[in-house]
Amino acid sequence: MTQKTYIQSYIQIENNEIVLNGKSVFKIEPTNFGDFSKQALRHFEIQYPKFFKMDALSKLAFLGSELLLSPITSTEQEHNIALVLANKSSSLDTDVKYQESISDKENYFPSPAVFVYTLPNICLGEISIRHQLKSENSFFIFDTFNTEFMSNYSNILLNTNKADTVLCGWVEFFNDSYKAFLCVIGTEENTEYKNETINTLYNK
C-alpha cells in the first residue's frame, strides 16, 4: 500500500529575501549574493567557518537546508534524510570561474579550492557533512523545475523505506542570479500544507 506523503516545511530564497513556511524571516536591501549570504549567516547565528570556503551554489543550498533541517536533526545521531535537488545551470557559475583561472597562460593559477566545486552535487556533500547524513542523494539537471518528477521521486524513496524524510527542491545559481526552493517531505500528516503540492508552493 502506498503511504501518503506530506510537505512538512518549505523555504524560498531569492531577491535578497528568505521566506520560511510562507513568512519572510530575513530581507535586506539589494546587494550581491556573497554579501547577502554572509549577512544571513550572521542573522541566524550559524557557526560554520567552512561556509566561507564554499562556492555560491553550495552556500545557497546550505542556507536553505540549514533552516529546514536544523530543527529536525542533531549532530549526535545519524538521520535517514534523502537529498533530491535540481537546477538548470549545473555548476556552470563555478566552472566559468575555474576556466578563468587556467585560461591566462601568463597568470596560470588553477585553484584546487575552486576546482573541487565544479560538480553540482558537491552541495549535497556539504549538506550531508553538516547534518550527518549518509542517505540517498541525487542532483538532477532540468530546463525548468520539474515538480512532478521531484515529487514522484521523493514519494518512491519514502514508500520503499529508502528514507524517513526527503529534502527536495531547486537550487539555481548563475551570474549572481539565484533562486532556491526547498521542502521537507515525510509520511507524518501535516494539515498545514494538506492541500499544497511542491508545484503550488514553488509558484506562490
Side-chain angles (χ1 to χ4, degrees):
M1 195 181 95
T2 306
Q3 260 186 308
K4 194 158 170 28
T5 62
Y6 300 87
I7 290 164
Q8 309 295 322
S9 56
Y10 71 100
I11 196 166
Q12 291 149 304
I13 305 175
E14 64 179 324
N15 301 327
N16 303 287
E17 183 176 23
I18 299 176
V19 176
L20 181 63
N21 297 323
K23 183 178 171 231
S24 179
V25 291
F26 180 69
K27 187 176 186 180
I28 59 169
E29 290 298 306
T31 183
N32 62 41
F33 177 76
D35 184 42
F36 167 75
S37 63
K38 210 180 292 179
Q39 288 198 46
L41 203 75
R42 204 175 300 134
H43 175 80
F44 294 108
E45 298 178 348
I46 300 164
Q47 306 293 321
Y48 200 62
K50 196 175 177 228
F51 179 84
F52 300 100
K53 294 188 173 123
M54 294 180 196
D55 74 330
L57 181 66
S58 295
K59 283 179 179 174
L60 181 61
F62 179 93
L63 266 179
S65 62
E66 184 67 17
L67 296 176
L68 289 180
L69 296 183
S70 285
I72 60 170
T73 61
S74 71
T75 48
E76 283 79 56
Q77 63 185 96
E78 263 184 48
H79 302 276
N80 192 12
I81 300 171
L83 304 174
V84 184
L85 300 184
N87 75 6
K88 180 182 180 176
S89 301
S90 184
S91 55
L92 190 58
D93 192 78
T94 305
D95 299 349
V96 168
K97 288 183 176 68
Y98 185 72
Q99 182 60 39
E100 284 168 359
S101 77
I102 60 172
S103 55
D104 183 355
K105 296 283 180 283
E106 302 300 310
N107 191 20
Y108 184 78
F109 188 70
S111 167
V114 177
F115 178 72
V116 77
Y117 289 101
T118 53
L119 283 173
N121 63 331
I122 298 302
C123 67
L124 299 174
E126 296 288 10
I127 297 167
S128 298
I129 292 165
R130 170 65 167 172
H131 296 283
Q132 299 286 303
L133 308 180
K134 293 177 183 169
S135 31
E136 296 268 331
N137 64 67
S138 304
F139 200 106
F140 298 96
I141 311 297
F142 295 120
D143 268 347
T144 55
F145 187 27
N146 189 332
T147 55
E148 193 180 348
F149 174 88
M150 298 297 272
S151 187
N152 289 343
Y153 194 90
S154 300
N155 289 347
I156 289 166
L157 290 173
L158 291 165
N159 275 292
T160 54
N161 296 319
K162 290 265 170 60
D164 301 327
T165 307
V166 177
L167 175 77
C168 91
W170 179 258
V171 281
E172 169 65 11
F173 190 102
F174 187 63
N175 275 347
D176 221 52
S177 172
Y178 60 92
K179 175 168 184 159
F181 169 83
L182 300 169
C183 63
V184 173
I185 301 171
T187 52
E188 200 177 301
E189 187 172 1
N190 183 355
T191 52
E192 204 174 336
Y193 308 117
K194 199 161 66 171
N195 301 317
E196 300 283 9
T197 63
I198 295 176
N199 193 43
T200 59
L201 291 174
Y202 177 76
N203 289 306
K204 272 195 170 179

